Amino acid sequence: QVQLVESGGGLVQAGGSLRLSCVASGIIFSAYTMGWYRQGPGKQRELVAAFTNGGLTNYAHSVKGRFTISRDNAKNTVSLQMNSLEPEDTAVYYCNAYRPVVLGDFWGQGTRVTVSS
């Protein structure tokens, strides 16, 4: 029974910060690439940041320098520190666990982030 549970979303003013967290259960967490995706109003879901099981990170160009992804394998947790938030960051943010070798691809229910101007 795989479960990814996001938390930390909310309403903030432009320029503010939020920290999102995702706690995973039911998977061998350290073996998965963990990622944060988002889907804004009228937009396609996009990758925001990813942290591979091998220790590599990557970010969407739009968030580089503002967002930081981290993971704590001991706590089965991946986090996304979001600074200097912009209205364009408004979206539902989803946690993803990905391990294609075992056909693993799991999603949380999402947490909503609203950035007001």
Side-chain angles (χ1 to χ4, degrees):
Q1 191 174 7
V2 177
Q3 191 171 25
L4 304 178
V5 180
E6 302 99 332
S7 62
L11 173 65
V12 298
Q13 293 184 341
S17 297
L18 283 174
R19 184 176 178 87
L20 307 182
S21 294
C22 169
V23 179
S25 59
I27 61 171
I28 303 174
F29 183 83
S30 61
Y32 279 73
T33 287
M34 301 301 299
W36 287 97
Y37 291 74
R38 69 186 181 188
Q39 186 168 18
K43 299 180 180 179
Q44 296 293 314
R45 184 177 62 187
E46 65 172 343
L47 176 68
V48 178
F51 200 135
T52 74
N53 64 321
L56 302 177
T57 61
N58 59 279
Y59 297 88
H61 181 266
S62 61
V63 308
K64 284 183 178 178
R66 300 189 297 120
F67 291 10
T68 302
I69 190 171
S70 60
R71 66 188 293 167
D72 186 342
N73 288 343
K75 297 181 178 180
N76 285 14
T77 299
V78 61
S79 299
L80 185 70
Q81 179 66 46
M82 306 186 295
N83 299 326
S84 301
L85 284 161
E86 304 168 354
E88 293 75 20
D89 297 317
T90 294
V92 177
Y93 284 72
Y94 297 93
C95 179
N96 171 251
Y98 184 59
R99 193 185 180 199
V101 69
V102 296
L103 305 181
D105 192 7
F106 303 104
W107 296 87
Q109 289 298 115
T111 185
R112 186 175 299 274
V113 172
T114 303
V115 184
S116 63
S117 60

